[in-house]
């Protein structure tokens, strides 16, 4: 088996360790591979290779193959690849004003080897904002990685990026991917896969980082830091940075660029709120508030596709039952463990169904033309500011239908609901001020 520079290997994965640099897998109670230092996440076992009764191993990264304290990890240093003069990007599209601003900021951060937060509203066309930076980095001979906590995002990015960078072999790595790393210059990976790399990439883009609280996850931060070369740039892309980061941006402690406008220059739909009383009690009696029945009839009348988000599966199912009892046809429901998840999303996209009831799994990453959005029981704890901003961001994404109704049906307004609405209003105001929106 070949050894590819930048990838960490365990002895059993390779034929020979000759000529490779070695690092202790676990030392001073820290797992080198994943950064775990939590005593509770280390186990003890009787070990065949060191013959100790209590050889320590890391449980935190065990899904990637067990590492023991008697083991070493092996790697070969990466060398910079040759520079390329001709552009690699093959894309004939035109960046919007907001996208161009972001794209320029990305390129200058890469040139200056700085980290950056790219804070861009849902539907602003984030992928295109990375194109010029990627092209620049690849031509420098840099190794680049685009990582996301979500496999769905990686799978969607792969064909899109391969299309615009036809000359580059792009590999897509995730838990059970058929692709294996073979020294490719351009890597797409789940953030989890980053723990297999060591000082490999000069540039790492992290997409949809808020799907997984980055700052609250020390392992992820360690993995990104370890996979990147000491000098380089980490570009974090999100529509909804956590509160602490928003504050750091406001205080000038974080290099960031904010793109408040969508590519089609129309404002983000601002959510309405609608009080529906003790809905749990009512659902238990098989009742749905007339306000929501009216909302559903309205979208049916206008023949628009609609998404209704629920705080939990149980409420969603009871709602579906109640809707049926109220003379509607049985609505289609979807949740994370649903095997037909992808198909159901397609049904709505193709117009085979008009209404889809969902848990928060569809809060991001999906685009439906002219979709109308309701959040049922929006006071639920699962509906954080970030989740509600993302959900609202499903509406009005298309140039052909740049607006849409978003309504929070609630039994008591929460601070998160209020923050989500303010967040969207502020983005719209700033978009107008910066000339990114047609007022
Ligand atoms: Zn570990
Ligand atoms: Zn051992």
């Amino acid at each position: 088996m070949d050894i590819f520079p930048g990838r960490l290997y365990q002895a059993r994965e390779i034929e020979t360790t000759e000529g490779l640099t070695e690092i202790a897998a676990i030392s001073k109670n820290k797992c080198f591979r994943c950064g775990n230092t939590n005593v509770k996440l280390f186990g003890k076992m009787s070990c065949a290779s060191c013959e100790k009764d209590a050889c320590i191993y890391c449980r935190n990264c065990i899904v990637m193959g067990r590492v023991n304290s008697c083991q070493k990890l092996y790697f070969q240093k990466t060398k910079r690849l040759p520079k390329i003069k001709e552009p690699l990007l093959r894309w004939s599209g035109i960046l919007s004003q907001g996208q161009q601003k972001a794209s320029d900021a990305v390129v200058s951060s890469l040139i200056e080897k700085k980290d950056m937060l790219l804070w861009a509203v849902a539907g602003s066309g984030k992928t295109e904002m990375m194109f010029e930076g990627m092209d620049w980095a690849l031509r420098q001979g840099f190794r680049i990685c685009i990582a996301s906590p979500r496999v769905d995002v990686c799978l969607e990015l792969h064909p899109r990026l391969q299309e615009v960078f036809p000359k580059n072999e792009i590999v897509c790595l995730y838990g059970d991917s058929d692709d294996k790393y073979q020294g490719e210059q351009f890597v797409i990976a789940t953030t989890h896969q980053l723990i297999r790399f060591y000082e490999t990439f000069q540039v790492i883009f992290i997409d949809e980082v808020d799907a997984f609280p980055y700052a609250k996850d020390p392992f992820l931060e360690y993995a990104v830091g370890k996979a990147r070369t000491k000098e380089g740039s980490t570009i974090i892309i999100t529509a909804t940075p956590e509160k602490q980061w928003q504050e750091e941006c406001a205080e000038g402690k974080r290099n960031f660029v904010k793109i408040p406008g969508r590519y089609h220059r129309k404002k983000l739909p601002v959510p309405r709120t609608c009080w529906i009383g003790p809905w749990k009690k009512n659902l238990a009696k098989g009742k749905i508030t007339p306000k929501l029945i009216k909302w559903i009839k309205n979208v049916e009348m206008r023949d628009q596709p609609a998404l209704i988000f629920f705080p939990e599966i149980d409420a969603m199912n009871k709602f579906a039952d109640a809707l049926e009892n109220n003379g509607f046809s049985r609505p289609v429901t979807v949740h994370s463990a649903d095997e037909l998840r992808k198909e159901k999303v397609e049904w709505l996209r193709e117009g085979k169904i008009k209404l889809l009831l969902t848990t928060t799994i569809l809060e991001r990453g999906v685009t439906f033309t002219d979709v109308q959005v309701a959040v049922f029981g929006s006071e639920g704890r699962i509906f954080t500011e970030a989740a509600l901003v993302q959900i609202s961001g499903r509406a009005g994404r298309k140039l052909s239908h740049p607006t849409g109704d978003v309504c929070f049906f609630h039994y008591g307004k929460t601070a998160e609901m209020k923050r989500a609405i303010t967040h969207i209003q502020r983005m719209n105001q700033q978009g107008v001020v910066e000339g990114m929106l047609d007022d």
Side-chain angles (χ1 to χ4, degrees):
M1 194 193 142
D2 291 329
I3 309 276
F4 298 102
R7 168 78 153 75
L8 282 173
Y9 294 96
Q10 290 178 270
R12 63 170 171 270
E13 289 181 286
I14 44 179
E15 261 178 334
T16 172
T17 57
E18 236 179 69
L20 300 180
T21 309
E22 52 177 58
I23 303 160
I26 298 171
S27 81
K28 292 179 188 145
N29 300 317
K30 179 170 188 168
C31 173
F32 181 77
R33 194 167 62 168
C34 72
N36 173 31
T37 53
N38 183 348
V39 192
K40 286 179 197 154
L41 293 176
F42 287 110
K44 281 178 189 158
M45 59 180 277
S46 84
C47 175
S49 56
C50 68
E51 297 185 316
K52 276 185 194 156
D53 287 335
C55 181
I56 292 168
Y57 68 98
C58 180
R59 287 199 280 131
N60 187 51
C61 61
I62 199 156
V63 290
M64 318 288 266
R66 194 184 65 230
V67 289
N68 284 51
S69 58
C70 62
Q71 279 179 21
K72 300 270 193 290
L73 296 169
Y74 300 89
F75 86 104
Q76 204 175 41
K77 271 203 163 158
T78 52
K79 287 195 197 89
R80 186 139 139 200
L81 300 158
K83 281 197 182 187
I84 299 163
K85 275 188 188 145
E86 310 77 49
L88 296 162
L89 177 65
R90 292 274 181 281
W91 185 63
S92 53
I94 296 163
L95 295 175
S96 71
Q97 188 186 343
Q99 284 174 319
Q100 188 64 57
K101 180 183 166 190
S103 180
D104 292 346
V106 169
V107 173
S108 13
S109 291
L110 300 192
I111 291 172
E112 292 165 31
K113 297 188 166 52
K114 282 201 299 202
D115 296 341
M116 190 182 87
L117 173 70
L118 173 48
W119 179 356
V121 294
S124 56
K126 290 180 287 172
T127 308
E128 293 86 345
M129 298 175 189
M130 297 186 280
F131 286 173
E132 289 176 351
M134 288 173 164
D135 183 67
W136 181 85
L138 290 167
R139 286 193 290 124
Q140 295 300 305
F142 290 170
R143 290 172 192 278
I144 71 171
C145 176
I146 166 149
S148 172
R150 298 185 55 225
V151 184
D152 298 5
V153 173
C154 295
L155 291 174
E156 215 175 284
L157 281 170
H158 191 199
R160 250 181 108 189
L161 292 173
Q162 190 64 77
E163 194 190 333
V164 296
F165 289 101
K167 286 189 175 172
N168 296 78
E169 190 79 32
I170 305 178
V171 66
C172 185
L173 307 172
Y174 52 93
D176 45 7
S177 59
D178 296 329
D179 284 4
K180 294 281 169 275
Y181 181 64
Q182 310 230 306
E184 287 86 356
Q185 185 184 4
F186 197 151
V187 173
I188 300 171
T190 53
T191 43
H192 210 75
Q193 294 296 319
L194 288 175
I195 73 167
R196 294 193 199 272
F197 292 92
Y198 181 42
E199 297 190 350
T200 313
F201 308 103
Q202 278 86 0
V203 175
I204 300 181
F205 293 93
I206 308 176
D207 197 9
E208 299 274 13
V209 70
D210 50 304
F212 204 81
Y214 182 80
K216 284 178 200 126
D217 182 355
F219 301 131
L220 178 53
E221 199 170 351
Y222 175 83
V224 173
K226 178 164 109 328
R228 218 198 65 191
T229 52
K230 285 200 180 70
E231 275 206 327
S233 307
T234 304
I235 309 289
I236 294 173
I237 304 156
T238 175
T240 45
E242 53 188 270
K243 225 173 128 219
Q244 192 197 326
W245 287 15
Q246 293 188 28
E247 283 163 14
E248 286 170 17
C249 290
E251 291 160 9
K253 289 179 189 160
R254 197 175 264 279
N255 180 34
F256 78 105
V257 62
K258 195 165 166 184
I259 308 302
R262 285 180 159 175
Y263 73 96
H264 58 44
R265 301 184 60 84
K266 296 285 179 285
K267 283 182 180 173
L268 296 163
V270 178
R272 303 183 289 128
T273 59
C274 181
W275 185 85
I276 53 169
W279 54 265
K280 246 184 204 162
K281 256 192 201 165
N282 293 333
L283 270 187
K285 291 184 221 152
K287 279 198 238 163
I288 298 177
T289 167
K291 288 174 181 168
L292 212 80
I293 301 264
K294 195 177 150 201
W295 188 87
I296 293 170
K297 281 193 172 152
N298 251 324
V299 292
E300 267 186 358
M301 207 171 64
R302 286 192 243 119
D303 200 29
Q304 289 167 316
L307 283 171
I308 307 180
F309 288 85
F310 289 84
E312 66 229 21
I313 295 178
D314 184 52
M316 178 168 79
N317 290 335
K318 286 205 175 102
F319 188 94
D321 294 339
L323 210 53
E324 215 177 352
N325 292 335
N326 272 280
F328 288 83
S329 55
R330 176 90 191 168
V332 175
T333 60
V334 66
H335 57 90
S336 61
D338 194 329
E339 281 177 8
L340 287 176
R341 182 176 156 181
K342 274 188 185 156
E343 285 81 356
K344 288 175 175 177
V345 167
E346 273 316 300
W347 296 345
L348 186 68
R349 199 169 279 151
E350 290 164 4
K352 282 187 189 148
I353 56 169
K354 281 293 176 184
L355 176 64
L356 183 57
L357 311 190
T358 177
T359 57
T360 55
I361 56 152
L362 295 186
E363 76 178 34
R364 63 186 71 227
V366 285
T367 297
F368 304 102
T369 306
D370 201 22
V371 75
Q372 311 297 302
V373 179
V375 182
F376 184 83
S378 60
E379 76 281 7
R381 286 184 66 184
I382 195 161
F383 294 120
T384 57
E385 173 189 348
L388 290 170
V389 168
Q390 287 286 355
I391 286 170
S392 307
R394 296 312 98 204
R397 292 171 80 91
K398 289 281 168 123
L399 179 59
S400 58
H401 299 86
T403 60
D405 186 35
V406 181
C407 189
F408 297 163
F409 292 93
H410 67 92
Y411 182 34
K413 268 185 215 171
T414 59
E416 300 283 338
M417 284 167 62
K418 289 178 199 163
R419 272 203 288 272
I421 293 169
T422 317
H423 184 139
I424 292 167
Q425 286 169 332
R426 284 208 190 121
M427 280 297 199
N428 282 340
Q429 283 161 6
Q430 198 183 337
V432 172
V433 170
E434 293 193 19
M436 284 181 199
L437 296 174
D438 302 322
D439 199 9

